């Protein structure tokens, strides 16, 4: 993880490493998962699985629609924020390897890399500007995404355990 300086702030939230990089207007999060890359990818892209872990508060989603194809849309609605659905469009899909999408005016990239019998999950949210990044930080997108990834880690570990 980079050393914190005026352009970079690094910290950990619930086992998720988080870097706020002002030079690139991005948030980068990483976490090891007890799952294969394909299992992690499926958990990230199958509505019946996403519904179980996506909400940072741990509540099941009230609506989860995924059209998993390039140009396909997704919509996630949580009980606590029904008025603010998380919606976007997929721009790249490489099963078990990479997923890229556009949402909330930002570019999102999710990587799934095998490390032994685990997966290194990396999530990057690329904002358009300093102001856009500041809006995301004020909305606590960094903390919410970290909690969501922690939920995913618990979900895939339980899913694998049977």
């Amino acid at each position: 993880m980079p050393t914190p300086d005026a352009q970079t702030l690094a910290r950990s939230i619930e086992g998720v490493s988080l870097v706020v990089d002002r030079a690139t207007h991005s948030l980068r999060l990483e976490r090891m998962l007890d799952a294969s890359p394909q299992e992690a990818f499926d958990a990230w892209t199958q509505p019946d699985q996403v519904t179980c872990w996506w909400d940072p508060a741990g509540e099941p989603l009230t609506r989860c629609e995924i059209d998993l194809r390039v140009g396909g849309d997704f919509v996630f609605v949580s009980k606590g924020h029904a008025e603010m659905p998380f919606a976007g469009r997929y721009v790249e899909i490489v099963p078990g390897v990479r997923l890229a999408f556009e949402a909330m005016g930002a570019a999102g990239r999710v990587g799934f890399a095998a490390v032994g019998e685990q997966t290194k999950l990396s999530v990057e949210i690329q904002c358009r500007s300093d102001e856009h990044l500041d809006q995301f930080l004020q909305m606590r997108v960094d903390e919410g995404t970290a909690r969501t990834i922690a939920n995913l880690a618990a979900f895939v570990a339980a899913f694998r355990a049977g």
Side-chain angles (χ1 to χ4, degrees), residues 32-40 43 49 114-119 152-162:
M32 293 302 293
L33 303 176
D34 289 325
S36 71
Q38 189 61 52
E39 289 168 330
Q49 294 188 51
V115 178
E117 293 187 21
Q118 294 184 308
T119 295
L152 170 62
F155 176 80
V156 296
F159 191 80
R160 186 177 248 195

Side-chain angles (χ1 to χ4, degrees), residues 39-115:
E39 289 168 330
F41 181 87
D42 291 347
W44 196 283
T45 58
Q46 294 181 3
D48 61 325
Q49 294 188 51
V50 175
T51 295
C52 298
W53 61 266
W54 184 268
D55 181 67
E59 293 283 330
L61 293 177
T62 59
R63 181 174 159 209
C64 181
E65 297 174 8
I66 296 175
D67 180 5
L68 191 61
R69 62 183 175 85
V70 172
D73 295 327
F74 60 85
V75 179
F76 304 158
V77 179
S78 65
K79 182 178 179 181
H81 296 285
E83 73 289 352
M84 291 179 28
F86 180 69
R89 178 164 286 142
Y90 295 108
V91 297
E92 182 184 19
I93 301 168
V94 182
V97 177
R98 176 173 57 255
L99 188 64
F101 57 91
E102 295 171 345
M104 299 173 57
R109 288 178 289 284
V110 183
F112 306 88
V115 178

